[in-house]
Amino acid sequence: MSETPRGSTAKWWALGVLAMTELVIVLDNTIVTIALPRAQEELGLSDGQRQWVVTAYALAFGALLLLGGRIADYWGRKRTFMAGLLGFGLASTWGGLVQSGLELVTARGVQGAFAALLAPASLAMVTVTFPRGRDRNTAFAIFGTVAGAGSAIGLVLGGVLTEYASWRWCLLVNIVFVVIVIAGAVLLLGESKAEGDNRHDVGGAVTVTLGLGSLVYGFTLAEHGWGSADTILFLALGAALIAAFVVVERRVRQPLLPLRVVLDKVRGGVFVITAVMGSSLIGALLYLTFYFQLVLGMSPLVSGLANLPMTVVIFLCTPLATRFLGRFGPRPLMVLGPLISAAGLFCLLGITSEGNFWLQVLPGLVLLGIGLTMLFVPSQSLALAGVAPEDAGVASAVVNASLNIGGSVGLAVFTVIYANSFGAATRRGAVDVDAFTEGYRATFLAAGVAMVAAALVGYFLVRGRKEDLLPAWEDEDGADAVHAR
């Protein structure tokens, strides 16, 4: 069943509402990053709690996305979307009013849980609103660009709010977005959901959520040593639960994640690349922000503006990447994008404690913007190509889960790498700013190596053609093979 807008004007206004939702979800990954030094000082956060302000959101978001995607498919995408919006707004209000570090981490986790309802519902609605042709590619390019630029926009907006209002407004500002999106959703969005007798896969939901949570928590514990009993226990428990999830999904009649969604070679490659992109993007931007404020002494506002070149490059390059996609297909973008992003991260290895933004940072940001654009434009569309309408929500969830779980794991691993490098520098007698800088360089190196590995995945697995971007319900002549209605 689908009542999504079909008019040529209405569907583009609907895309605007959905894209704004994606912007809010993504920028909340980074908007608090700029505010963390101020929040840490006011609330007395430990360094571990500081990391968890970012990790709690990404972990809850990523771990619950599959369940959120199935709820959207079965309960109704607009209904799920509205429930997610209201919950997200309330959690943001709570986060802006907290009085302790534990409260802030908890509020961020609740935010992420409601974002797990919002994200798959909004992307699934884009899928059924734009079922074919050039409009579909354009819609996904816009949606992907907003997702890509959202991280950098969050850093700029966070800097402005922290500098001129309070770090708390980095959370309270979501209320404004939520009110606007609710009004637009009521007027412009129609309902759609999968038909039939749909039942939720409780066993799958429990095993995958606990499994992903255990894995990420295990990686965060690795800061105290990879060989520690707690680290090994949680990593092993996470792996066992994920294996149990696969067994459950093979046996239940209506699985939370139909394995056909992820076992496709091309789609699986895109999910892997998206996870690596999430780890590198979240980790690199977090530690670059710390470099700006703790080493170069930038204010929150200037620190946020320092990330603006990457956002500008993303917007400028999107039309070119979209045209490139239409002419050459997705594979060249999925190989060149990670390589150019890696080049940008390797450029950041030149940072020093004295610092020169124009020579040491700006070239890396420009290359990152180019590379990320080449990934954002095709990844959403390619990951959903060939997916049946009834699986649109869960496939959308896997895309977002890959990005956020990748970000959670990446941030945990990069924190371990940073801590080890910082500790080694201090043992050699380095002063704090030099030790900080050495730790940040180590994280950029690790992120760059990960992006090179992603390029190899793109080369060997992503062999999609232009025609492969067609949805499952459209044949090559443009006719509906399976109607979304």
Side-chain angles (χ1 to χ4, degrees), residues 201-379:
D201 172 17
V202 177
V206 171
T207 51
V208 73
T209 301
L210 293 179
L212 292 173
S214 295
L215 280 177
V216 173
Y217 187 62
F219 279 115
T220 64
L221 293 177
E223 182 178 353
H224 306 295
W226 290 100
S228 71
D230 287 346
T231 301
I232 295 172
L233 173 64
F234 278 99
L235 290 178
L237 178 62
L241 286 168
I242 295 298
F245 170 69
V246 174
V247 172
V248 170
E249 298 311 276
R250 290 173 63 90
R251 295 182 177 180
V252 298
R253 186 168 63 88
Q254 291 182 308
L256 180 68
L257 174 59
L259 296 182
R260 61 181 176 268
V261 173
V262 295
L263 292 181
D264 175 82
K265 185 175 71 171
V266 173
R267 198 178 300 122
V270 173
F271 293 148
V272 171
I273 294 171
T274 302
V276 175
M277 178 173 63
S279 69
S280 299
L281 181 60
I282 293 176
L285 289 181
L286 177 66
Y287 284 104
L288 189 59
T289 297
F290 290 163
Y291 173 70
F292 288 154
Q293 293 191 45
L294 301 180
V295 176
L296 300 187
M298 292 182 178
S299 69
L301 174 59
V302 176
S303 176
L305 292 174
N307 289 280
L308 194 57
M310 186 174 73
T311 308
V312 172
V313 169
I314 288 173
F315 278 115
L316 291 178
C317 289
T318 295
L320 297 175
T322 304
R323 209 168 295 153
F324 192 95
L325 175 65
R327 172 171 289 191
F328 299 105
R331 188 188 183 203
L333 292 173
M334 299 300 284
V335 175
L336 289 174
L339 288 177
I340 295 173
S341 299
L345 290 163
F346 291 147
C347 280
L348 295 176
L349 297 179
I351 61 171
T352 62
S353 55
E354 293 80 17
N356 186 314
F357 173 82
W358 302 105
L359 295 179
Q360 297 174 3
V361 178
L362 182 60
L365 288 177
V366 170
L367 288 172
L368 267 174
I370 296 171
L372 292 173
T373 304
M374 298 177 79
L375 286 172
F376 289 132
V377 167
S379 60

Side-chain angles (χ1 to χ4, degrees), residues 120-272:
S122 60
L123 188 53
M125 283 192 281
V126 173
T127 303
V128 298
T129 302
F130 296 89
R132 66 180 67 84
R134 182 176 298 176
D135 283 356
R136 176 183 171 89
N137 286 341
T138 301
F140 274 111
I142 292 171
F143 203 79
T145 301
V146 169
S151 296
I153 291 173
L155 292 171
V156 175
L157 182 59
V160 172
L161 292 172
T162 303
E163 185 80 11
Y164 292 110
S166 164
W167 67 267
R168 296 178 180 275
W169 275 100
C170 293
L171 294 161
L172 295 174
V173 71
N174 289 327
I175 301 170
V176 178
F177 288 112
V178 166
V179 170
I180 294 172
V181 172
I182 286 177
V186 170
L187 295 173
L188 296 166
L189 300 181
E191 186 59 278
S192 65
K193 65 178 181 178
E195 298 287 0
D197 179 22
N198 299 312
R199 298 180 181 179
H200 289 295
D201 172 17
V202 177
V206 171
T207 51
V208 73
T209 301
L210 293 179
L212 292 173
S214 295
L215 280 177
V216 173
Y217 187 62
F219 279 115
T220 64
L221 293 177
E223 182 178 353
H224 306 295
W226 290 100
S228 71
D230 287 346
T231 301
I232 295 172
L233 173 64
F234 278 99
L235 290 178
L237 178 62
L241 286 168
I242 295 298
F245 170 69
V246 174
V247 172
V248 170
E249 298 311 276
R250 290 173 63 90
R251 295 182 177 180
V252 298
R253 186 168 63 88
Q254 291 182 308
L256 180 68
L257 174 59
L259 296 182
R260 61 181 176 268
V261 173
V262 295
L263 292 181
D264 175 82
K265 185 175 71 171
V266 173
R267 198 178 300 122
V270 173
F271 293 148
V272 171

Side-chain angles (χ1 to χ4, degrees), residues 66-139:
L66 291 176
L67 180 59
R70 265 313 185 217
I71 290 173
D73 284 335
Y74 292 171
W75 191 42
R77 289 154 190 151
K78 180 178 179 179
R79 191 177 298 165
T80 303
F81 181 84
M82 298 298 286
L85 270 177
L86 290 173
F88 190 84
L90 291 173
S92 299
T93 304
W94 177 26
L97 300 176
V98 298
Q99 297 300 314
S100 71
L102 179 60
E103 271 192 283
L104 179 58
V105 171
T106 305
R108 290 283 289 165
V110 176
Q111 266 190 309
F114 280 106
L117 291 178
L118 269 178
S122 60
L123 188 53
M125 283 192 281
V126 173
T127 303
V128 298
T129 302
F130 296 89
R132 66 180 67 84
R134 182 176 298 176
D135 283 356
R136 176 183 171 89
N137 286 341
T138 301

